[in-house]
């Protein structure tokens, strides 16, 4: 694992011990541009690490210091996530710099290998729980899309970074109740309450109101970007229902379980 020191002035002291890992994409044209921005004092942004497309890792902020990558965010009821987390920026244009056909630029294989190796080392050093490995869109669903629905979360989980639920087979899906499906913007009732309770149990910043409002739609889209990447619609179909149930049970067994 090749790490190059590239210190950023954008850092300060932590207020809490590290117990989270937050993954981002840079959303810029290239690595040098992203590195320059995170080292610009006027930009007021940084991360602990940046992983370029060639797999080279740059360290901008020591892990015992607070980098400025998460912004206004919340997870499992915790705020000031900059003080609680290590942040990795992965060089990728994401939704900001798409390919000519409108698709998202894929992450390179060598880059993914480097991020997995780095993530596993960080998790081991700080004993980070699997339910505290997140994407920027998980902790700030109202304003962030990264690392995007093209990020290989399932592979990361299989290799010790985060977790992944057992997916329902076709037979199980046909047996799922569709009495409340699909749930979407404007829906109300027990089904929405259960949905919000399970999303909150996973860690998402969401209020349990019983109304499928814009906040709920954004949180559902953030969930789908990670766990149901083929359908980032904000609409809760039977598959999304079941995945939310399963992820909630794995993420926080003592709190999950509103009836949907």
């Amino acid at each position: 694992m090749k790490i190059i020191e590239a210190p950023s002035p954008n850092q300060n002291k932590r207020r809490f011990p590290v117990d989270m890992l937050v993954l981002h994409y840079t959303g810029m044209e290239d690595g040098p541009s992203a590195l320059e921005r995170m080292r610009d004092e006027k930009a007021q942004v940084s991360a602990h690490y940046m992983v370029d497309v060639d797999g080279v890792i740059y360290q901008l902020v020591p892990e015992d210091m607070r980098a400025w990558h998460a912004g206004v965010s919340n997870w499992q009821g915790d705020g000031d996530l900059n003080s609680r987390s290590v942040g990795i920026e992965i060089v990728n244009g994401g939704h900001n710099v798409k390919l000519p056909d409108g698709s998202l630029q894929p992450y390179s294989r060598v880059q993914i290998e480097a991020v997995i190796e780095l993530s596993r080392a960080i998790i081991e050093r700080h004993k980070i729980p699997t339910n505290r490995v997140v994407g920027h869109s998980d902790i700030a669903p109202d304003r962030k899309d990264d690392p995007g629905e093209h990020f290989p979360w399932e592979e990361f989980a299989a290799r010790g970074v985060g977790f992944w639920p057992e997916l329902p087979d076709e037979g199980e899906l046909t047996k799922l109740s569709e009495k409340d499906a699909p749930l979407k913007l404007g829906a109300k009732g027990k089904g929405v309450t259960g949905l919000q309770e399970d999303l909150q149990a996973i860690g998402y910043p969401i209020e349990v109101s019983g109304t499928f409002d814009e906040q709920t739609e954004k949180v559902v889209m953030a969930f789908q970007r990670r766990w149901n990447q083929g359908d980032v619609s904000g609409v809760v179909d039977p598959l999304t229902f079941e995945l939310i149930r399963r992820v909630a049970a794995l993420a926080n067994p003592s709190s999950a379980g509103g009836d949907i």
Side-chain angles (χ1 to χ4, degrees), residues 131-194:
N131 63 359
R132 305 275 287 180
V133 176
V134 297
H136 202 183
S137 57
D138 292 320
I139 61 176
D142 58 329
R143 60 188 185 86
K144 292 296 180 179
D145 302 327
D146 57 309
E149 56 269 28
H150 59 319
F151 187 76
W153 281 110
E154 186 173 3
E155 178 186 354
F156 269 59
R159 296 178 64 182
V161 183
F163 67 93
W164 195 260
E166 182 179 351
L167 302 180
D169 60 32
E170 191 171 330
E172 289 174 310
L173 272 178
T174 60
K175 295 177 182 178
L176 293 175
S177 170
E178 298 187 31
K179 61 185 178 66
D180 296 317
L183 285 184
K184 55 186 178 180
L185 197 62
K188 297 182 179 182
K190 290 176 61 178
V192 177
T193 298

Side-chain angles (χ1 to χ4, degrees), residues 92-105:
N92 186 277
H95 297 82
N96 299 332
V97 186
K98 296 182 179 180
L99 296 176
D101 64 0
S103 62
L104 299 177
Q105 173 191 347

Side-chain angles (χ1 to χ4, degrees), residues 2 13 34 50 145 224 253:
K2 181 180 180 181
K13 292 183 179 180
M50 187 191 84
D145 302 327
Q224 290 171 326

Side-chain angles (χ1 to χ4, degrees), residues 18-165:
V18 173
D19 67 354
M20 292 186 69
L21 175 63
V22 182
L23 302 179
H24 309 254
Y25 62 49
T26 55
M28 298 182 68
E29 290 283 352
D30 54 41
S33 300
L35 195 62
E36 180 180 5
R37 176 171 169 75
M38 287 189 288
R39 299 179 72 193
D40 181 355
E41 191 170 4
K42 294 179 181 178
Q44 297 285 287
V45 295
S46 62
H48 294 90
Y49 299 95
M50 187 191 84
V51 182
D52 213 334
V53 294
D54 59 1
V56 175
I57 301 169
Y58 297 87
Q59 182 165 19
L60 292 86
V61 178
E63 289 182 20
D64 62 352
M65 295 295 286
R66 180 179 182 270
W68 305 343
H69 60 98
V72 178
S73 53
N74 190 282
W75 188 251
Q76 296 177 342
D78 291 332
D80 189 9
L81 300 188
N82 282 333
S83 280
R84 303 175 187 273
S85 64
V86 172
I88 301 176
E89 289 277 357
I90 308 164
V91 175
N92 186 277
H95 297 82
N96 299 332
V97 186
K98 296 182 179 180
L99 296 176
D101 64 0
S103 62
L104 299 177
Q105 173 191 347
Y107 293 92
S108 75
R109 188 69 245 167
V110 65
Q111 185 180 40
I112 289 300
E113 293 294 335
V115 176
I116 289 174
E117 185 178 1
L118 175 61
S119 297
R120 291 177 64 171
I122 293 167
I123 289 167
E124 176 60 28
R125 275 195 292 275
H126 300 285
K127 309 304 178 188
I128 296 173
T130 58
N131 63 359
R132 305 275 287 180
V133 176
V134 297
H136 202 183
S137 57
D138 292 320
I139 61 176
D142 58 329
R143 60 188 185 86
K144 292 296 180 179
D145 302 327
D146 57 309
E149 56 269 28
H150 59 319
F151 187 76
W153 281 110
E154 186 173 3
E155 178 186 354
F156 269 59
R159 296 178 64 182
V161 183
F163 67 93
W164 195 260

